Amino acid sequence: MGPAGPRLEDGHRSVELPLPFTWSPQLNAAPADQIRLLDVQSLDARLQQLAHKRRSLPEHDEIESLTKDLTQLRDLLVAAQTEESDCSREQTKAEQDVDQVRQRASRDQQRLDSGAVTSPKDLENLQREITSLAKRQGDLEDVVLEIMERRESAQERVGELTGRVSSVQSKIDDATSRRDASYESFDGESATLTKEREVVAGTVPADLLKLYEKLREQQGGVGAARLYQRRCEGCRLELNITEVNEVKAAAPDQVLRCENCRRILIRTSESGL
């Protein structure tokens, strides 16, 4: 079949346009070699399917979603831990303030009880200071209680978030384990198919295999297609009568190309010629 350029759709067939470039030179290969090229294509299709399944595992989205949740939870946990730590420092400082006031009040009370202060004015000032210190101590103890409540709330939040982080991490570990098990299965099957492909591809003439690889890269993974009942299984278009006659007239070892998709067109007993 002679080379043809790209086409625009016109009904169920296409209209030829001038070639923007030159097609590869004509190749010849024994019919059996061409048939084996279909075997290579079949193995490549299976490898491509496995790769797609590997990329499309539901665990990928699951792990991604869970990882986002885990990141947010860890940020919240760090914030809660920071709040608890800040409250702890505040509590320590407030308790120290209470202790200082208590010690001072205790000293003043001891002076008052000892009878060492005899001046009425000094006694009045001392009693006034003890009263003031008692109020100050009460205020500071209220501050301590308020801080303790905030700290307790922060500690509860830390405990809750720690549990949620652990739970999400467990789910990630489970999804990762399931993903890795699928990887192992796919990779094992892929390795077997790759070895089989190497053997089969090794029986195909180098020039034919080179053309196939080039077309496969250009045509979305399909470089060779069977001609079945006068239809190219690569682009799914049926050959017109002129193209059928060209195929019939071609030598058995002539490597044909589909006029529409330019893939290598392999003739078999089911080509309908």
Side-chain angles (χ1 to χ4, degrees), residues 4-215:
R7 299 182 174 195
L8 295 177
E9 292 299 322
D10 180 15
H12 72 286
R13 295 300 298 166
S14 51
V15 179
E16 291 187 353
L17 295 176
L19 280 173
F21 55 86
T22 303
W23 294 107
S24 302
Q26 180 64 57
L27 293 177
N28 292 296
D33 292 336
Q34 296 187 44
I35 293 292
R36 280 195 292 274
L37 192 60
L38 284 180
D39 295 333
V40 175
Q41 177 65 77
S42 176
L43 290 167
D44 282 334
R46 291 168 64 186
L47 285 167
Q48 196 170 10
Q49 290 170 357
L50 283 174
H52 175 73
K53 288 181 180 179
R54 196 180 194 277
R55 292 191 302 269
S56 305
L57 285 170
E59 285 79 11
H60 292 317
D61 290 339
E62 183 180 356
I63 291 171
E64 182 179 1
S65 177
L66 288 170
T67 300
K68 289 180 180 178
D69 292 343
L70 182 62
T71 298
Q72 293 176 351
L73 287 171
R74 282 176 171 168
D75 288 344
L76 293 173
L77 177 58
V78 169
Q81 289 171 332
T82 300
E83 182 180 359
E84 195 279 331
S85 178
D86 290 344
C87 287
S88 176
R89 285 193 294 271
E90 285 184 54
Q91 181 178 340
T92 299
K93 176 64 169 58
E95 288 174 343
Q96 289 174 346
D97 292 342
V98 170
D99 189 55
Q100 288 177 355
V101 171
R102 184 184 295 114
Q103 289 178 9
R104 182 173 177 180
S106 177
R107 288 196 301 269
D108 286 349
Q109 187 64 47
Q110 288 176 358
R111 288 181 63 199
L112 182 64
D113 295 341
S114 68
V117 179
T118 59
S119 168
K121 185 176 181 180
D122 290 343
L123 284 171
E124 182 181 355
N125 290 337
L126 187 59
Q127 290 173 335
R128 187 182 299 115
E129 182 175 348
I130 291 173
T131 301
S132 176
L133 288 172
K135 184 178 183 306
R136 174 62 176 162
Q137 180 177 333
D139 292 342
L140 288 174
E141 287 174 344
D142 289 341
V143 170
V144 171
L145 288 175
E146 185 272 332
I147 294 173
M148 289 176 65
E149 289 176 356
R150 286 194 287 115
R151 184 181 181 187
E152 183 178 351
S153 177
Q155 288 173 333
E156 290 177 356
R157 182 68 170 157
V158 168
E160 174 201 352
L161 289 169
T162 299
R164 291 172 64 184
V165 165
S166 177
S167 176
V168 173
Q169 183 62 63
S170 179
K171 292 178 181 179
I172 291 176
D173 293 342
D174 177 67
T176 300
S177 178
R178 285 185 276 113
R179 181 203 64 188
D180 291 347
S182 296
Y183 275 177
E184 185 176 352
S185 175
F186 289 146
D187 292 347
E189 187 175 354
S190 178
T192 299
L193 290 174
T194 299
K195 290 180 181 179
E196 184 177 350
R197 184 196 188 277
E198 291 175 357
V199 173
V200 178
T203 67
V204 177
D207 52 356
L208 179 60
L209 187 63
K210 181 179 180 180
L211 175 61
Y212 163 76
E213 296 286 13
K214 179 180 179 181
L215 293 172

